[in-house]
Amino acid sequence: MSSESQFFESMCFILKYSEAVTKMVLNFDDSDLTSALTKTITLEAPLVSSPMDTVTESEMAIAMALNGGIGIIHNNCTAEFQASEVRKVKKYEQGFITDPLVLSPKNNVQDVLEAKRKHGFSGIPITENGKMGGKLVGIITSRDIDFLPSEDENRSLNEVMTPLEDLTVAYAGCTLDEAHVIMQRSKKGKLPIVNQEDELVALIARTDLKKNRSFPLASTDSKKQLLVGAAIGTREEDKQRLDLVAEAEVDVIVLDSSQGNSLYQLAMIEYIKKKFPNLQVVGGNVVTAAQAKNLIDAGVDALRVGMGSGSICITQEVMAVGRAQGTAVYKVAEYARRFGVPVIADGGISSVGHVTKALSLGASTVMMGSMLAGSSEAPGEYFFSDGVRLKKYRGMGSLPAMEKRGGQQRYFSEKDKLKIAQGVSGAVIDKGSIHQFISYLVGGVKHGCQDMGAKSLSALRARMYSGELRFERCTQSSKREGGVHSLYS
């Protein structure tokens, strides 16, 4: 690596002859992307969703884990909410809807029609109190209301719903396969799951079963529960947050700080390791080997690398600190590997090529924000602007994010009267579902490994450290030539 700082965008790898390239053309599916997140946690896909309040809550974390990665629940919220989101991931059972839309018998037909317009479905369980966990009394479907005259839209659901005695239900504890058989026999579109007191605990939809896929790469713990992480700060009050997420059975703690090489973080690492010795801890953010040394000496299980390289981060511009992400990943990973500490490349990832470059430079996994924002699993509502479907996305150092305590702590600005933004807020285009997008990323990385003659990420990094895999710096002209050009439209 030259003395000049290198961004992912400014480099391109040079290939050498390898028999593996030819062999892998015929065995693409044999490419192994297994990589270490921490010293004891291994992922089938080296992808991590960033702990940002417009990127990762339980829905994103579930999707990431099902596809072999992991999601880190953000901490720009109350400790109770964060622990609840962690718990949702750990209690998730594939195919079971644990937070369905529920109405009460006092709701009317108009409420169902409004739900259908908003959510696209009308099969809604009815409980006595209109909440999940209430006693099931019936279900309302399109069959119950399709032919009602418009003047009946104010009728209560108690008058038109299918009552409990006419429903087919399954009891808590049944497996997905057992539920599938029950639905096939009943020929019903929805299957409520109740406990012995007839209280609603889950719902299964026939449409979901039809779409249901197996997830052979799913990231799970020893109990076969999905893996999930949580971000916390490094202040005294974060110890209570730590207790709550640990009680929710979180698998990894990410210490969320823009400058990880601090007394606060060293003290928090020591505290966590003493109180929860088996809980994995990711330290950071760092961009130099000297920063990494202090955290490794303190006992971290992985390092988060990056400062000012995210698409919505302006730390380098405003604070005059940071480092080009390509150089930061290489330098920190080269040092950390001597101690068996994996590196997470956090920031600067805006294409599948950048993912491959980060992994080639020594990162074990990559953390993504903007790449995943705008997906259907990301928090927030879609809106339209000039006919384009968008979702809000903001940096944790942006002024809107720093209105909450989590954003302030990350940038050491809780006591500042005048907040100095280190990030911006904006909107990103709808990316669809993570389930399709992650498959694209995984396929792209496999093809990158294939072209570089490596059957696994460990082999890819070994080729880089041995000198077999080298890169050149790209000029502006070469970047233009290497991208889409010379087209009329």
Side-chain angles (χ1 to χ4, degrees), residues 283-309:
N285 283 34
V286 298
V287 292
T288 68
Q291 288 178 303
K293 179 183 184 303
N294 290 335
L295 299 186
I296 291 173
D297 290 347
V300 294
D301 301 293
L303 290 165
R304 190 175 168 197
V305 176
M307 187 180 292
S309 55

Side-chain angles (χ1 to χ4, degrees), residues 219-251:
S219 304
T220 58
D221 59 18
S222 58
K223 300 176 185 176
K224 301 301 179 183
Q225 294 177 318
L226 296 181
L227 296 180
V228 63
I232 69 169
T234 55
R235 299 296 195 265
E236 190 66 28
E237 57 266 30
D238 286 297
K239 292 178 180 178
Q240 185 224 356
R241 183 182 293 270
L242 171 67
D243 289 340
L244 289 176
V245 295
E247 184 182 342
E249 300 183 5
V250 74
D251 298 285

Side-chain angles (χ1 to χ4, degrees), residues 318-336:
V318 174
M319 312 305 292
V321 296
R323 197 175 200 180
Q325 187 68 338
T327 298
V329 169
Y330 175 81
K331 294 292 187 181
V332 175
E334 197 277 332
Y335 176 79

Side-chain angles (χ1 to χ4, degrees), residues 265-312:
Q265 186 152 148
L266 296 177
M268 183 60 83
I269 294 168
E270 181 181 358
Y271 175 82
I272 297 173
K273 285 299 180 183
K274 183 176 292 186
K275 187 167 187 179
F276 303 103
N278 295 321
L279 186 56
Q280 296 291 280
V281 180
V282 177
N285 283 34
V286 298
V287 292
T288 68
Q291 288 178 303
K293 179 183 184 303
N294 290 335
L295 299 186
I296 291 173
D297 290 347
V300 294
D301 301 293
L303 290 165
R304 190 175 168 197
V305 176
M307 187 180 292
S309 55
S311 65
I312 38 66

Side-chain angles (χ1 to χ4, degrees), residues 189-242:
K190 297 287 193 299
L191 179 66
I193 310 296
V194 297
N195 59 22
Q196 294 301 321
E197 286 74 41
D198 288 332
E199 294 169 334
L200 184 67
V201 297
L203 183 71
I204 296 179
R206 179 180 292 274
T207 51
D208 288 344
L209 282 176
K210 286 168 65 178
K211 294 183 292 183
N212 189 40
R213 306 176 298 165
S214 62
F215 292 92
L217 302 181
S219 304
T220 58
D221 59 18
S222 58
K223 300 176 185 176
K224 301 301 179 183
Q225 294 177 318
L226 296 181
L227 296 180
V228 63
I232 69 169
T234 55
R235 299 296 195 265
E236 190 66 28
E237 57 266 30
D238 286 297
K239 292 178 180 178
Q240 185 224 356
R241 183 182 293 270
L242 171 67

